[in-house]
């Protein structure tokens, strides 16, 4: 056993506190740096060193104590450690051998490893090369695809491919040269695509301008067909309304199923426009193309709006207007389908400019027009143009206004043409009653114009109460109505009937009536012709109702409404007045002819010594003429006109005899001459009574007969042959028997009246004859007439 170790006294430093603190820090494993740094900074490292030494000594004591307590364990451990060293040496030898063996075995492997590392490096380089090549191949493939697409004119996928190259591959291309080439080619390809689509679009511009005329013509034709269908429908409606009084007819409202589908859309290709617009949008320059499109189309419109100076407007107006219509139909389709290529305001502005130009051209051309039919052709095509473009939403108010402004000019031309035609017809008419031999002639000249009230077909040959000019004038009037309605239709007026009636009145008054008056006052017609003219005017005056009904029919006014209207034609009253004018002219002609026979009064022996047995020659001629006059007038003239003409002739005969007795040509006359006048008057009075009854005038209830027209000369003859002519001064007798005689005229005639003729042997032959009471009475009358005057 080993003796217990002696305890060593540890000399503690005077600075016990610092030593304990350091010991505690060391025991706790804390950092002594701050304490050491503080000691050196405070300038007292010696105390620190002293304490550290003290701690070291203390620890050495503890170690010695520990070793003393465990020295046997140390010995055992050392022995074991020696054994371990022996084992370690053996192990070391074994390891050295193994190492030598391992190195010998791994030499070839290291060579292989070097080769493997080298292969790994090659593999890496090859991989990078392959990646680079893949990118390049992909880029080349995309470029080739883009080229093929461009060759095939598939520009949209070509732009998509370019965009993919630019955004997906351009920055990752490892080859700078290739990257530079591709980067340089992309904008060039885009520029090529832009030029290509612009070239296609320019070709389309040329094509669509050539095609615009056809488009417009087709659209206007469709408008014409639609108008025709509308007119047919209205005609069926009018027919139905006309037959409404006869009950419903199941066939009147049958629906025509043919052509009821709306016309197919006009076929024209806008693909180049769509493609060019889309390509420019894809290129990011959509606004540039919109400006390009608008400017080029404006240029085309300006060219289209230039009318040809090498041909008349009548020949060029249809292609001109069709071209304009086609242009705006295309613009409407582009506005509706081209996804913002055009703005509505642009189309409206362009249309307003174009319509202003068209109206200006129309006003200028209408002002130059000299033919109504040309006027109507152009107007009709203009209205069709308006209907065609209005279907696409274009406003046509200005077109309607220019047609309204030209309405009076058109009708003025139409009236001038009608005047020339009517003047020619009236001038070339023979004024003989028409003889109609066939039914179709009757239908064409009589039935068509309702010139006969009898609905039946007469026996042929049929002698019409009018001459050939009447149906010809009716055709002109009917044609005028149709032309007027054609011009006024589809012109914006809701009720054209009043306007048509206004111009119809002007035709009948300013043209037809004036021409008739010119024929009346020209005095170029014989009596029978003038009678026929009077009959014609009567028929034309009655035809005014037919004109009104025809106008109402064309204007869509139901017949019952037109017949119910109290507003007739002023022309009817004017033609009625012209009838009176022609009757007066007939009276003048008759009187003029009568004057030719009354001249024979100069051959009458006014101082004849013997009483005549027969009528004077002039009266025989007058009666023959009157017979002819009455028979002719009875066939042609209405009874009223016959009455006026014959009564006028009778009155003129009476006035002529009276005037002859008053004139200085008859110095004196005897009772025998008066007896001759009495015979003349009796014949004339018998003729007047017979004709008044045979012509049917007695049935009219006329207050004055033909014989009454001779009352003045009859009362004069009665007075001269009266046994007591002085009774004339008796108011009662004068009122009853001589009311038509004038004092002054009677005084002049009585002064010329001699009871007997003065002759060489008159005193011898009458020496035994006393003055009778009649001569005395006549002398009394003469004196009293002189006193009265």
């Amino acid at each position: 056993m080993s003796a217990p170790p002696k305890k060593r006294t540890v000399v503690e430093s005077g600075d016990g506190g610092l030593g304990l603190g350091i010991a505690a820090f060391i025991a706790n494993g804390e950092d002594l740096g701050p304490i050491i740094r503080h000691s050196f900074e405070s300038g007292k490292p010696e105390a620190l060193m002293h304490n550290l030494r003290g701690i070291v000594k203390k620890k050495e004591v503890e170690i010695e104590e520990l070793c003393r307590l465990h020295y046997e364990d140390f010995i055992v451990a050392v022995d074991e450690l020696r054994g371990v060293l022996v084992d370690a040496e053996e192990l070391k030898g074994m390891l050295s051998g193994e190492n030598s063996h391992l190195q010998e075995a791994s030499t070839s492997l290291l060579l292989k490893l070097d080769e493997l590392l080298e292969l790994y490096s090659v593999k890496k380089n090859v991989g990078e090369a392959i990646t680079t090549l893949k990118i390049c191949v992909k880029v080349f493939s995309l470029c080739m695809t883009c080229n093929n697409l461009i060759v095939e004119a598939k520009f949209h996928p070509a732009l998509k491919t370019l965009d993919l190259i630019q955004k997906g591959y351009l920055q990752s291309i490892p080859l700078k040269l290739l990257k530079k080439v591709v980067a340089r080619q992309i904008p060039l390809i885009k520029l090529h695509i832009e030029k290509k689509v612009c070239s296609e679009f320019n070709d389309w511009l040329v094509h669509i301008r050539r095609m615009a005329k056809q488009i417009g013509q087709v659209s206007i034709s469709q408008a014409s067909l639609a108008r025709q269908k509308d007119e047919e429908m209205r005609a069926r409606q009018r027919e139905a309304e006309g037959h409404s009084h006869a009950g419903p007819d199941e066939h009147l409202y049958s629906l025509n199923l043919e052509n009821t589908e709306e016309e197919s859309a006009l076929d024209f290709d806008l693909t180049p426009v769509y493609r060019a617009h889309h390509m420019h949008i894809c290129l990011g320059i959509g606004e540039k193309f919109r400006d390009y499109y608008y400017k080029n189309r404006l240029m085309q419109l300006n060219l289209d709006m230039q009318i040809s100076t090498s041909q008349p407007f009548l020949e060029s107006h249809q292609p001109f207007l069709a071209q304009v219509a086609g242009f705006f139909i295309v613009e409407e389709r582009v506005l509706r389908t081209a996804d913002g290529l055009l703005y509505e305001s642009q189309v409206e502005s362009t249309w307003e400019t174009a319509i202003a130009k068209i109206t200006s051209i129309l006003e200028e051309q209408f002002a130059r027009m000299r033919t109504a039919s040309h006027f109507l052709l152009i107007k009709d095509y203009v209205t069709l143009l308006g209907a065609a473009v209005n279907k696409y939403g274009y406003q046509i108010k200005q077109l309607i206004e220019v047609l309204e402004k030209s309405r009076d000019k058109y009708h003025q031309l139409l009236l001038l043409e009608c005047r020339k035609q009517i003047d020619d017809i009236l001038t070339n008419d023979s004024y003989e009653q028409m003889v109609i031999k066939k039914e179709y002639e009757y239908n064409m000249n009589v039935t068509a114009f309702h010139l006969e009230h009898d609905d039946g077909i007469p026996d042929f040959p049929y002698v019409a109460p009018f001459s050939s000019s009447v149906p010809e004038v009716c055709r002109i009037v009917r044609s005028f109505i149709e032309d007027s309605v054609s011009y006024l239709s589809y012109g914006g007026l809701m009720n054209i009937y009043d306007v048509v009636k206004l111009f119809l009145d002007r035709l009948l008054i300013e043209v037809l009536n004036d021409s008739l008056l010119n024929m009346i006052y020209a005095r170029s017609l014989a009596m029978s012709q003038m009678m026929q003219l009077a009959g014609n005017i009567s028929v034309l005056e009655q035809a005014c109702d037919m004109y009104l009904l025809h106008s109402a029919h064309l204007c869509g006014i139901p017949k019952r409404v037109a017949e119910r209207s109290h507003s007739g034609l002023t022309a009817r009253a004017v033609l009625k007045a012209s009838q009176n004018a022609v009757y007066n002219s007939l009276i003048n002609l008759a009187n003029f002819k009568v004057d030719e026979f009354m001249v024979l009064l100069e051959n009458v022996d006014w101082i004849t010594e013997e009483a005549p047995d027969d009528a004077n020659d002039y009266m025989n001629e007058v009666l023959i003429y009157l017979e002819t006059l009455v028979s002719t007038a009875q066939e042609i003239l209405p009874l009223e006109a016959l009455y006026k003409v014959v009564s006028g002739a009778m009155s003129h005969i009476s006035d002529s005899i009276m005037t002859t007795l008053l004139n200085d040509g008859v110095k004196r006359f005897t009772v025998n001459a008066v007896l001759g006048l009495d015979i003349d008057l009796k014949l004339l009075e018998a003729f007047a009574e017979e004709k008044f009854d045979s012509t049917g005038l007695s049935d009219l209830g006329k207050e004055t007969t033909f014989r009454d027209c001779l009352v003045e000369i009859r009362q004069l003859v009665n007075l001269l042959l009266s046994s007591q002519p002085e009774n004339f001064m008796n108011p009662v007798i004068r009122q009853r028997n001589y009311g038509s005689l004038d004092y002054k005229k009677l005084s002049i005639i009585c002064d010329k009246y001699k009871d007997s003729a003065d002759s060489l042997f008159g005193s011898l032959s009458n020496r035994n004859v006393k003055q009778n009471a009649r001569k005395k009475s006549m002398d009394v009358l003469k004196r009293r007439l002189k006193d009265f005057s």
Side-chain angles (χ1 to χ4, degrees):
M1 287 181 66
S2 61
K6 298 181 179 178
K7 292 184 182 179
R8 297 178 64 181
T9 303
V10 180
V11 180
E12 296 296 336
S13 172
D15 193 359
L18 180 59
L20 292 174
I22 293 174
F25 274 97
I26 293 173
N28 295 328
E30 295 181 8
D31 187 15
L32 300 178
I35 296 174
I36 297 171
R37 189 180 301 110
H38 177 70
S39 298
F40 280 95
E41 287 178 356
S42 62
K44 296 178 179 181
E46 294 83 2
L48 177 62
M49 292 301 293
H50 177 72
N51 287 321
L52 289 174
R53 289 189 190 102
I55 292 171
V56 170
K57 287 179 180 182
K58 185 177 180 181
K59 292 299 180 182
E60 285 178 352
V61 174
E62 290 177 359
I63 291 172
E64 286 178 358
E65 185 64 27
L66 183 62
C67 288
R68 186 181 65 77
L69 291 176
H70 299 286
Y71 73 94
E72 291 179 358
D73 293 333
F74 283 134
I75 294 172
V76 174
V78 169
D79 290 339
E80 291 178 357
L81 181 60
R82 285 179 180 176
V84 171
L85 287 175
V86 174
D87 293 336
E89 285 294 333
E90 291 178 2
L91 182 59
K92 180 178 180 182
M94 291 174 63
L95 288 175
S96 176
E98 290 297 327
N99 182 47
S100 299
H101 179 70
L102 183 60
Q103 285 184 355
E104 290 176 2
S106 64
T107 301
S108 61
L109 294 176
L110 288 174
L111 293 175
K112 294 292 185 181
L113 178 60
D114 291 338
E115 292 177 2
L116 182 60
L117 292 176
E118 186 177 354
L119 289 175
Y120 276 136
S121 177
V122 172
K123 178 183 178 182
K124 180 181 178 182
N125 292 336
V126 171
E128 292 177 354
I130 290 174
T131 302
T132 301
L133 288 175
K134 285 182 178 179
I135 294 174
C136 294
V137 169
K138 183 64 176 177
V139 171
F140 281 130
S141 175
L142 291 174
C143 291
M144 291 179 64
T145 301
C146 182
N147 287 336
N148 293 332
L149 291 172
I150 291 174
V151 170
E152 296 172 3
K154 298 178 179 178
F155 299 127
H156 182 259
L159 282 179
K160 291 290 186 183
T161 304
L162 280 179
D163 189 60
L164 179 60
I165 293 172
Q166 188 173 13
K167 295 181 179 180
Y169 293 94
L170 184 61
Q171 298 302 323
S172 61
I173 295 176
L175 298 179
K176 292 183 179 180
L177 182 59
L178 178 60
K179 182 178 180 180
K180 183 177 180 181
V181 171
V182 172
R184 185 174 66 248
Q185 289 300 319
I186 287 176
L188 295 178
I189 294 173
K190 289 183 176 180
L191 181 61
H192 172 75
I193 293 175
E194 179 186 354
K195 290 181 179 178
K196 195 70 177 176
V197 295
C198 282
S199 176
E200 292 180 359
F201 172 71
N202 290 335
D203 293 340
W204 176 85
L205 283 175
V206 175
H207 168 74
I208 203 65
R209 184 164 185 252
R210 289 199 302 265
M211 194 177 178
K213 184 190 299 182
Q214 179 183 353
I215 295 171
Q217 288 172 341
V218 171
S219 180
I220 290 173
S221 297
Q222 291 177 353
S224 179
L225 289 174
R227 175 186 294 183
Q228 184 177 353
K229 291 178 183 178
D230 184 54
E231 290 175 349
E232 291 173 355
M233 182 188 70
R234 287 204 301 269
R236 289 195 296 270
Q237 290 177 344
R238 288 195 295 267
E239 183 180 357
E241 291 169 352
H243 290 80
S244 61
H245 64 278
D249 187 344
E250 61 180 357
H251 301 292
L252 290 178
Y253 286 99
S254 60
L255 177 63
N256 182 12
L257 297 178
E258 298 180 1
N259 300 324
T260 55
E261 295 183 0
E262 187 178 356
E263 295 85 353
S264 59
L266 295 174
D267 184 20
F268 52 91
D269 187 16
L270 294 178
T271 302
V273 180
Y274 300 149
R275 181 174 354 191
H277 184 215
H278 185 64
M279 289 300 101
H280 281 79
I281 290 176
C282 293
L283 292 170
I285 51 175
E287 190 63 34
K288 176 182 177 182
F289 180 74
R290 281 191 285 269
D291 292 341
Y292 183 77
Y293 175 89
Y294 186 62
K295 289 178 181 177
N296 277 275
R297 290 293 282 164
L298 278 182
M299 290 173 61
Q300 287 189 335
L301 179 60
N302 290 332
L303 292 174
D304 293 341
M305 296 301 293
Q306 296 176 5
I307 61 174
S308 173
T309 57
S310 60
Q311 60 181 151
F313 187 70
L314 178 67
E315 300 176 6
S316 64
H317 77 280
Q318 290 191 2
F320 165 69
L321 296 175
Q323 183 78 23
V324 174
F327 176 91
F328 283 100
I329 291 171
V330 172
E331 291 300 275
E332 188 274 338
R333 181 79 64 82
V334 171
L335 173 66
R336 185 163 42 88
T337 63
D339 192 22
L341 175 58
L342 276 177
Y343 299 115
E344 188 172 354
S345 59
Q346 289 177 315
V347 178
E348 289 178 356
S349 175
T350 306
W351 171 249
E352 289 174 1
T353 302
I355 202 67
K357 179 68 173 178
I358 291 173
T359 53
S360 175
I361 292 172
L362 289 176
E363 286 176 351
E364 180 182 356
Q365 295 299 327
F366 284 162
R368 297 178 180 179
M369 286 288 171
R370 294 295 179 267
T371 306
S373 58
H374 297 172
F375 212 117
L376 183 59
L377 283 174
I378 295 173
K379 178 267 170 187
D380 186 61
Y381 207 79
V382 169
T383 56
L384 289 176
L385 165 71
V389 298
N390 187 248
K391 184 172 64 175
Y392 294 92
Y394 294 103
Q395 297 297 320
I396 58 172
K397 182 180 178 181
Q398 289 179 275
L399 277 180
I400 301 302
E401 288 177 351
V402 74
L403 295 179
E404 283 295 311
K405 291 178 183 177
S406 303
R407 181 182 68 189
D408 290 342
K409 173 66 181 297
Y410 166 75
H411 283 91
Q412 190 64 34
L413 292 176
L414 197 59
L415 289 171
L416 289 174
E417 293 178 2
C418 291
R419 178 182 293 278
K420 184 177 183 304
Q421 295 171 1
I422 290 175
D423 285 344
D424 291 341
I425 289 171
L426 295 181
T427 302
N428 297 324
D429 191 9
S430 63
Y431 293 99
E432 297 177 357
Q433 290 179 312
M434 286 188 72
V435 179
I436 300 174
K437 300 179 180 180
K438 302 291 183 181
E439 182 177 348
Y440 80 90
E441 293 180 1
Y442 182 84
N443 293 332
M444 182 174 63
N445 294 300
V446 180
T447 306
F449 306 110
H450 305 282
L451 299 181
E452 284 289 344
H453 298 295
D454 187 4
D455 295 334
I457 301 298
D459 297 331
F460 297 102
Y462 167 75
V463 179
F466 48 81
S467 64
S468 61
S469 64
V470 171
E472 291 181 10
V473 167
C474 288
R475 286 189 188 92
I476 293 174
V477 175
R478 186 171 63 181
S479 176
F480 175 89
I481 295 170
E482 293 168 354
D483 290 342
S484 179
V485 172
S486 295
Y487 188 89
L488 296 171
S489 297
Y490 308 100
L493 288 176
M494 296 302 294
N495 183 12
I496 64 173
Y497 175 64
D498 291 337
V499 182
V500 172
K501 190 167 67 173
L502 173 66
F503 285 110
L504 175 59
D505 247 337
R506 288 186 59 184
L507 171 70
L508 297 176
I509 296 172
E510 298 177 10
V511 177
L512 176 59
N513 188 68
D514 283 356
S515 296
L516 290 171
L517 290 177
N518 290 337
M519 292 300 300
I520 294 170
Y521 297 135
R523 300 183 183 279
S524 59
L525 300 179
M527 173 61 72
S528 61
Q529 291 177 319
M530 188 65 74
M531 288 183 182
Q532 188 59 64
L533 178 60
N536 290 354
I537 294 176
S538 177
V539 175
L540 291 172
E541 181 259 332
Q542 295 172 8
C544 288
D545 291 337
M546 181 271 294
Y547 301 148
L548 272 182
L549 290 177
H550 187 60
S551 301
H553 175 75
L554 294 178
C555 295
I557 305 297
K559 182 178 179 181
R560 64 179 185 276
V561 176
E563 291 176 341
R564 193 165 60 239
S565 175
H566 299 291
S567 177
L569 290 172
T570 307
R572 185 157 194 172
V574 176
L575 288 172
K576 197 76 174 178
S578 296
Q579 282 182 264
N580 294 329
V582 75
Y583 295 156
N584 292 334
S585 182
L586 281 173
I587 293 172
N588 292 334
L589 283 175
N591 293 344
F592 180 77
K593 193 67 177 178
V594 167
D595 287 340
E596 293 181 2
F597 303 116
M598 297 304 291
V599 171
L600 297 177
L601 276 171
E602 298 176 357
N603 300 329
V604 173
D605 187 0
W606 296 103
I607 55 174
T608 180
E609 296 179 359
E610 296 180 0
D613 296 327
D614 299 316
N616 292 300
D617 293 339
Y618 81 91
M619 183 54 63
N620 293 327
E621 296 293 336
V622 167
L623 290 174
I624 293 172
Y625 171 71
L626 289 177
E627 179 67 36
T628 304
L629 176 65
V630 172
S631 61
T632 305
Q634 191 173 4
E635 293 180 1
I636 301 173
L637 297 179
L639 288 179
E640 187 68 31
L642 172 67
Y643 173 77
K644 289 182 179 181
V645 173
V646 177
S647 61
M650 292 293 182
S651 298
H652 187 67
I653 293 171
S654 175
D655 293 341
S656 297
I657 297 174
M658 183 70 73
T659 302
T660 301
L661 293 175
L662 290 171
N663 287 341
D664 294 337
V666 178
K667 302 295 183 182
R668 56 183 177 173
F669 60 93
T670 65
V671 66
N672 293 330
V674 175
L675 291 172
L677 287 178
D678 184 53
I679 296 173
D680 296 342
L681 283 178
K682 287 179 180 179
L683 289 175
L684 187 59
E685 288 169 343
F687 173 86
E689 288 182 349
E690 189 273 329
K691 292 303 177 184
F692 192 79
D693 292 334
S694 64
T695 56
L697 288 172
S698 57
D699 298 333
L700 296 181
K702 293 290 184 180
E703 295 181 358
T704 303
T705 65
F706 289 158
R707 181 169 182 166
D708 293 337
C709 297
L710 304 171
V711 65
E712 184 181 21
I713 192 65
R714 165 48 66 194
Q715 289 180 358
L716 176 64
V717 171
N718 290 343
L719 178 64
L720 295 177
L721 296 179
S722 172
S723 60
Q724 292 182 329
E726 65 177 319
N727 288 339
F728 176 80
M729 302 310 298
N730 186 322
V732 175
I733 297 176
R734 182 174 67 250
Q735 183 65 30
R736 183 178 64 247
N737 298 328
Y738 310 110
S740 298
L741 295 179
D742 179 71
Y743 283 96
K744 293 181 179 180
K745 292 181 181 180
L746 184 60
S747 176
I748 296 172
I749 292 173
C750 287
D751 283 341
K752 297 181 180 183
Y753 179 65
K754 304 294 182 182
D755 199 341
S756 60
D758 293 335
S759 63
L760 179 62
F761 304 100
S763 59
L764 295 176
S765 60
N766 293 316
R767 66 170 59 106
N768 296 324
V769 179
K770 297 181 179 178
Q771 186 180 18
N772 54 34
R774 187 169 65 83
K775 184 177 183 302
K776 293 180 180 179
S777 179
M778 178 61 68
D779 292 338
V780 172
L781 176 61
K782 290 179 182 179
R783 288 195 301 271
R784 297 190 64 180
L785 286 174
K786 288 181 180 179
D787 294 340
F788 183 81
S789 60

